[in-house]
Amino acid sequence: MAALEEEFTLSLVVLSAGPEGLLGMKQSDKIDQFLVTESGRIVIVYKVSESKLLGSSSVKQGQIITCPVVCNFQTGEYIVVHNNKVLRIWNNEDVNRDKVFKATLSAEVYRILSVQGSEPLVLFKEGVVHGLEALLADPQQKIETVISDEVIKWAKFFIVFRLPMQMFNSHILTKYTLLLGQDKKSFIESFTASVDQKFISLMLLSSDGCIYETVIPILRSLSLKAVVSGNAPNGVALAALDQDHVTVLGSPLAGNSGGRIRFR
């Protein structure tokens, strides 16, 4: 038999979700509090240890919250986007939500991403990520288009080796095609994802009743720089000999005399 070695606090709360359902649930800056964005109109603060609602707020008629509300862990403020482009920021002392900070952005937002130890990021539907501070300095700045025909289904912001991932080039786009077995008529019913320091693990529930797992590497490191000329008339080639050696075929650049290079 398996024995649980850790304890978890489970709390039941009944939320009157409307036809649009729940947009999301996010961690607050308090350990036992979380934010619930309900039906695109209401934000609820819930305290787990006391199993009670601490408060809620709603937007005006004609305004629809279009992505889950998140907490800015650096300031303790809350960030919400309604009608896809209007960003508002408030704190617990702000009673009148209509008078809080507001900025209208030039492109539609998919998600606000926020984790401990970094400023929040704004992920636009075009696939570009911008830091919140730089974006608020110029809300109407032009937003580049990285994706056009695709639709973002899942996004996560995480820290690798204590450095936020946006420290790398946030405009680099990598595409993967997920194959679901031999049945080409199958499609993805639902999925979940998790991230560790080196991989994104996607677990997919297929319409054929099967669960598939796909592991995607997330880190790329520079092993060698300026080894050969990429304009060689006969092309170039690369082969790994073992964990310490790699062979590169091509016209060497100045200063590179050998074709076998140690890169430990």
Side-chain angles (χ1 to χ4, degrees):
M1 294 180 61
L4 293 177
E5 296 182 357
E6 297 182 5
E7 294 183 357
F8 295 88
T9 300
L10 299 180
S11 180
L12 177 64
V13 56
V14 178
L15 300 175
S16 57
E20 298 178 18
L22 298 175
L23 280 181
M25 180 175 66
K26 300 295 182 180
Q27 177 67 45
S28 173
D29 59 335
K30 305 295 189 300
I31 295 177
D32 62 342
Q33 294 181 16
F34 61 88
L35 307 167
V36 177
T37 308
E38 177 189 344
S39 302
R41 291 183 179 274
I42 300 175
V43 179
I44 297 172
V45 182
Y46 186 80
K47 188 170 185 177
V48 177
S49 60
E50 299 180 8
S51 298
K52 71 176 184 179
L53 301 177
L54 298 182
S56 64
S57 62
S58 59
V59 293
K60 283 186 174 181
Q61 186 70 25
Q63 297 178 347
I64 298 294
I65 299 176
T66 46
C67 65
V69 177
V70 301
C71 178
N72 182 341
F73 294 102
Q74 293 183 328
T75 64
E77 296 173 318
Y78 302 118
I79 309 170
V80 63
V81 175
H82 65 78
N83 297 55
N84 294 303
K85 292 184 177 182
V86 182
L87 186 148
R88 290 179 181 268
I89 300 176
W90 80 94
N91 57 42
N92 291 324
E93 281 83 39
D94 292 322
V95 178
N96 190 343
R97 296 287 188 267
D98 295 329
K99 295 183 179 180
V100 300
F101 176 85
K102 181 178 74 171
T104 301
L105 309 178
S106 62
E108 294 188 354
V109 175
Y110 173 73
R111 286 289 186 271
I112 305 293
L113 308 174
S114 183
V115 297
Q116 293 277 4
S118 179
E119 70 163 315
L121 301 178
V122 180
L123 171 60
F124 289 91
K125 291 184 178 180
E126 286 87 352
V128 171
V129 178
H130 284 277
L132 180 65
E133 294 181 7
L135 186 64
L136 294 182
D138 183 13
Q140 283 295 303
Q141 62 185 270
K142 182 179 179 181
I143 303 301
E144 306 89 336
T145 298
V146 175
I147 60 176
S148 54
D149 299 327
E150 297 89 349
V151 176
I152 301 173
K153 291 293 186 180
W154 174 81
K156 186 176 180 65
F157 177 29
F158 49 94
I159 302 293
V160 175
F161 305 124
R162 298 185 179 180
L163 293 175
M165 285 302 293
Q166 85 271 14
M167 294 298 293
F168 301 102
N169 191 339
S170 62
H171 294 75
I172 292 177
L173 175 66
T174 302
K175 298 182 180 181
Y176 297 88
T177 299
L178 303 178
L179 303 177
L180 299 179
Q182 301 297 323
D183 185 4
K184 296 183 179 180
K185 295 182 180 180
S186 298
F187 56 90
I188 298 174
E189 293 275 10
S190 182
F191 72 94
T192 185
S194 61
V195 178
D196 62 17
Q197 291 186 342
K198 295 183 179 180
F199 299 98
I200 297 174
S201 176
L202 294 176
M203 191 164 289
L204 314 170
L205 175 61
S206 171
S207 59
D208 61 6
C210 299
I211 294 178
Y212 299 91
E213 184 178 22
T214 299
V215 177
I216 302 173
I218 59 175
L219 295 180
R220 180 183 65 178
S221 61
L222 177 63
S223 297
L224 295 170
K225 186 176 181 180
V227 178
V228 297
S229 172
N231 299 320
N234 296 323
V236 295
L238 173 70
L241 303 180
D242 54 37
Q243 65 178 3
D244 294 323
H245 297 82
V246 63
T247 295
V248 181
L249 176 65
S251 302
L253 296 179
N256 291 329
S257 58
R260 193 169 76 169
I261 304 167
R262 188 176 181 86
F263 68 102
R264 172 176 285 177

